[in-house]
Amino acid sequence: MVGDGQAALETAALLGEQGTRVRVPARADRLCRNDVPPLWARPWWRSARSPHGGLGPGWRNR
């Protein structure tokens, strides 16, 4: 499996579950998926209108 995108990682995981030996080479030092975005320095009114959630800003993500 070549690449570090979501599709490559999911395919590698599925192949690994089936007993296949999988390697995922990537140019990055480590693979980070779904990390919490950094907090922004925003005015309080903008944070109230669109709060910072685990996947990004907005009430839907909260």
Side-chain angles (χ1 to χ4, degrees), residues 22-45:
V22 180
R23 290 184 185 201
V24 183
R27 288 181 277 192
D29 292 336
R30 64 188 183 103
L31 301 177
C32 301
R33 293 290 171 223
N34 292 334
D35 286 346
V36 176
L39 294 175
W40 305 302
R42 302 189 301 163
W44 67 268
W45 56 270

